[in-house]
Amino acid sequence: MYKITNVTLETVCGYTSKLPATQRPEIAFAGRSNVGKSSLINSLVQRKALARTSSQPGKTATVNYYHVNKGETRGGDFAPDVYLVDLPGYGYAHRSKEEKVKWGELIERYLHASKSLDVVFLLVDMRHDPTEDDALMYRWILSSGKKPVIIATKKDKVKKSEQMARLDQVRTVLRVSHEDPVIPFSAVTKEGTLEIWDTIIHSI
């Protein structure tokens, strides 16, 4: 596992906020509400509760910038000095139409405006087929000039005998080539964490 010397929630941007120019590589995480973005970020930075998790969907309504290994210049076993950017969760049914539009505009503004964005991970729940919102987000990311890397979360909740079929279905619904990675991830076992960091390092 890569070493994390420090990590802080450095910037929180709402709908009317100006997005910062970080001058460091940015790694963005998009996904439906309650898909496990906060749990994934906590696993990546080896903290239990840096990013707040909740059983109630729709909690992340801002763009949150987590600065990892600030000032760290060593390579090897050390994770790089980067920002992990947690985008608002989408698809939560109990939000108003106005709120959904604002969140969508905020996500789209970030994807098109960030000059430091190196890779976008799109999280989908491995237990279910990707939704129309997931497919829309996939196309949004492509339209921003980035090729999203899919992370299939909650692997520990899928029977081993069904996992390959579920991953194939994710590829089919989102029209992801078999040459492109789909990374299975479990916040319980931490499986997939190292592969995600490897992807980040090779993308910056």
Side-chain angles (χ1 to χ4, degrees):
M1 182 58 66
Y2 293 102
K3 295 179 181 178
I4 307 294
T5 58
N6 59 84
V7 56
T8 56
L9 174 58
E10 191 169 286
T11 307
V12 176
C13 294
Y15 177 69
T16 60
S17 303
K18 181 180 179 181
L19 298 173
T22 64
Q23 307 301 319
R24 299 301 305 157
E26 293 176 14
I27 315 301
F29 298 86
R32 284 176 56 82
S33 298
N34 216 32
V35 74
K37 287 189 287 93
S38 296
S39 295
L40 171 61
I41 289 172
N42 286 333
S43 295
L44 289 174
V45 300
Q46 301 160 31
R47 302 292 191 273
K48 290 185 177 180
L50 179 72
R52 294 185 179 180
T53 60
S54 174
S55 59
Q56 179 183 353
K59 295 296 285 186
T60 303
T62 52
V63 178
N64 297 336
Y65 291 74
Y66 297 93
H67 198 167
V68 180
N69 280 0
K70 182 178 182 179
E72 182 63 69
T73 59
R74 291 173 289 184
D77 292 337
F78 287 84
D81 179 348
V82 296
Y83 284 89
L84 304 184
V85 182
D86 187 8
L87 301 177
Y90 55 82
Y92 184 45
H94 295 290
R95 293 295 181 186
S96 69
K97 184 177 180 180
E98 181 178 322
E99 284 178 305
K100 291 177 184 178
V101 169
K102 285 185 176 180
W103 290 7
E105 289 175 349
L106 178 58
I107 294 170
E108 191 169 22
R109 178 159 62 96
Y110 171 79
L111 291 174
H112 285 277
S114 173
K115 298 183 183 302
S116 299
L117 179 59
D118 281 308
V119 61
V120 183
F121 290 101
L122 176 59
L123 281 65
V124 298
D125 189 331
M126 189 173 171
R127 299 172 298 176
H128 313 293
D129 288 356
T131 65
E132 291 183 9
D133 287 329
D134 292 326
L136 177 61
M137 178 56 65
Y138 187 79
R139 293 194 295 271
W140 268 5
I141 297 169
L142 288 174
S143 71
S144 73
K146 300 295 180 184
K147 196 168 189 177
V149 177
I150 306 300
I151 298 176
T153 65
K154 308 185 189 251
K155 180 182 178 181
D156 54 286
K157 299 182 182 297
V158 179
K159 294 179 181 178
K160 288 185 177 181
S161 60
E162 299 175 358
Q163 289 175 1
M164 289 305 299
R166 295 306 314 153
L167 292 175
D168 285 342
Q169 187 65 5
V170 168
R171 290 182 182 277
T172 298
V173 173
L174 296 180
R175 299 180 182 177
V176 177
S177 167
H178 279 274
E179 297 176 357
D180 295 327
V182 173
I183 304 173
F185 172 76
S186 167
V188 175
T189 67
K190 312 305 179 188
E191 182 178 351
T193 305
L194 184 58
E195 189 173 356
I196 294 167
W197 267 121
D198 284 342
T199 302
I200 292 170
I201 289 170
H202 287 99
S203 299
I204 62 177

